Amino acid sequence: MDSLTQIVLGAAVGEAVLGKKVGNKAMLWGTVAGTIPDLDVLANFFVDTVTAVEFHRGFSHSIFFSVLFAPIFGWVVWMIYKKKQANWRAWSWLFFWGLFTHPILDAFTTWGTQLFWPLKLRLAFQNIFVIDPFYTLPFLTFLILAMTQARGSQKRRRFNRLGLTISSLYLLFTLIFKGMAYQSFESNLKEQNISYSQMDIRPSPFNTILWMANIDTKDAYLIGEYSFFDSQPITFRGIPKNHNLLEGIQQKDKIQRLIQISEGWFAITKKDGHLFFNDLRFGLLSLDPTETQFAFSYKLNDMADGLEVSEVPKNRSDAKKLVTALWDRILGN
């Protein structure tokens, strides 16, 4: 999830664990704990693109990391306050839950997380987008209300508990929404006599009303959208796999790692003599039927000293156009 959401979750967890004893200090250090796992993005400055993508939401998002570092961070904070108010064990407990709930929440997104690192298994329930105002804003509101109450008061605990409860219930409902959307995609494919081997669905950005699907057929992927307000059948658009374009470089280490990262959901495109590896799990940059640029695309350069992989940058203007188009599409076709 985005940084703000993880900060809110970390603060609420910190308050739940230690707020009664240390007041707003629990929220402060809860936000720190909720932010620490995402510092893995600093790897972008030190390693190549593929390694950085692999590293993100890996070690720092694991149970192992939470168990290993919670006592260390807990000891540091305990020493900062010169052992007053709460003991080392209490601070360690706060950091454990702040570190651990971060990857738990990330597991509900499309990217997922390697909660059981060093195992390569990546949990990705794909029922919430990385930025979802319907999850974050009510949670933030109750957190602010809790902050304004006296330490240890019933109202403070009640507001914080409401924020945690409502946000958790929303996650539960989004799983139900995903099941409903999946059934709609499945029935539309059946009605249109489309044979497929796999289907992968996810919510569109910023909401859980409009859902998107990738469907794996023999020679191409189909992409479709479904809003709960739709009144027309789902239209599926074909994306050629073009896996044959990797001939000669498919067995190279970085290509195999990209295939593993994308979980096999990838298409290859060629533009201006260059090959691009497109991760289909995150869809196209816009809802325009003529859009060809994927949200996560990697340029492949076969150099004499090895394969060079670089991520294609995204423009802010693309995001603005997407937000405008999303609102119209959410309302149904």
Side-chain angles (χ1 to χ4, degrees), residues 211-248:
W211 291 77
M212 298 179 170
N214 293 333
I215 295 98
D216 188 358
T217 65
K218 185 178 180 181
D219 299 314
Y221 293 108
L222 301 181
I223 294 178
E225 304 155 7
Y226 169 72
S227 168
F228 290 125
F229 296 114
D230 279 354
S231 57
Q232 302 296 322
I234 298 173
T235 300
F236 295 100
R237 173 187 172 186
I239 303 290
K241 293 182 178 181
N242 291 331
H243 292 177
N244 60 295
L245 293 177
L246 290 178
E247 186 176 354

Side-chain angles (χ1 to χ4, degrees), residues 56-300:
H56 184 47
R57 295 193 181 178
F59 168 64
S60 67
H61 287 65
S62 65
I63 297 173
F64 178 75
F65 182 88
S66 301
V67 172
L68 179 64
F69 283 96
I72 298 173
F73 294 133
W75 180 83
V76 171
V77 175
W78 179 53
M79 294 301 292
I80 288 173
Y81 293 116
K82 298 180 179 179
K83 308 177 184 180
K84 294 179 181 179
Q85 294 177 305
N87 60 27
W88 164 70
R89 182 179 297 176
W91 283 114
S92 298
W93 198 235
L94 179 149
F95 271 95
F96 171 77
W97 283 108
L99 294 170
F100 181 59
T101 53
H102 179 122
I104 290 295
L105 179 56
D106 278 346
F108 290 95
T109 65
T110 300
W111 192 269
T113 180
Q114 281 183 264
L115 192 63
F116 302 109
W117 183 97
L119 299 178
K120 292 189 179 295
L121 172 67
R122 185 176 289 272
L123 293 182
F125 300 117
Q126 301 189 129
N127 57 298
I128 190 170
F129 188 67
V130 291
I131 303 174
D132 190 329
F134 294 102
Y135 176 89
T136 306
L137 293 181
F139 204 172
L140 176 61
T141 300
F142 283 112
L143 181 67
I144 293 172
L145 289 172
M147 290 174 64
T148 62
Q149 305 301 313
R151 184 177 75 185
S153 70
Q154 287 292 335
K155 279 188 176 181
R156 185 183 179 100
R157 288 199 296 274
R158 188 178 302 118
F159 283 134
N160 194 60
R161 195 180 299 121
L162 277 170
L164 287 164
T165 301
I166 291 173
S167 60
S168 298
L169 285 174
Y170 178 72
L171 282 180
L172 176 62
F173 278 112
T174 59
L175 286 170
I176 297 172
F177 296 160
K178 180 176 180 178
M180 294 167 60
Y182 189 94
Q183 288 183 341
S184 293
F185 281 113
E186 195 173 46
S187 61
N188 271 263
L189 287 166
K190 186 176 181 179
E191 289 169 5
Q192 296 178 40
N193 295 315
I194 297 174
S195 298
Y196 64 98
S197 57
Q198 292 184 76
M199 178 163 57
D200 185 66
I201 78 167
R202 64 194 181 280
S204 62
F206 318 123
N207 75 101
T208 51
I209 298 173
L210 177 63
W211 291 77
M212 298 179 170
N214 293 333
I215 295 98
D216 188 358
T217 65
K218 185 178 180 181
D219 299 314
Y221 293 108
L222 301 181
I223 294 178
E225 304 155 7
Y226 169 72
S227 168
F228 290 125
F229 296 114
D230 279 354
S231 57
Q232 302 296 322
I234 298 173
T235 300
F236 295 100
R237 173 187 172 186
I239 303 290
K241 293 182 178 181
N242 291 331
H243 292 177
N244 60 295
L245 293 177
L246 290 178
E247 186 176 354
I249 62 171
Q250 184 162 358
Q251 297 308 314
K252 292 198 173 187
D253 177 64
K254 288 183 179 179
I255 295 295
Q256 289 300 308
R257 288 158 65 192
L258 281 174
I259 291 173
Q260 186 174 38
I261 288 168
S262 68
E263 299 178 347
W265 292 96
F266 71 97
I268 307 299
T269 52
K270 190 172 185 177
K271 184 178 179 182
D272 299 329
H274 294 286
L275 293 180
F276 293 85
F277 184 104
N278 305 293
D279 191 331
L280 269 67
R281 295 173 302 157
F282 306 96
L284 294 157
L285 276 180
S286 77
L287 299 179
D288 189 325
T290 63
E291 179 65 74
T292 59
Q293 180 61 49
F294 288 85
F296 282 87
S297 183
Y298 304 91
K299 185 178 180 181
L300 309 177

Side-chain angles (χ1 to χ4, degrees), residues 306-318:
L307 185 69
E308 181 183 77
V309 178
S310 57
E311 184 176 346
V312 177
K314 292 174 276 293
N315 300 317
R316 289 188 178 182
S317 58
D318 295 324

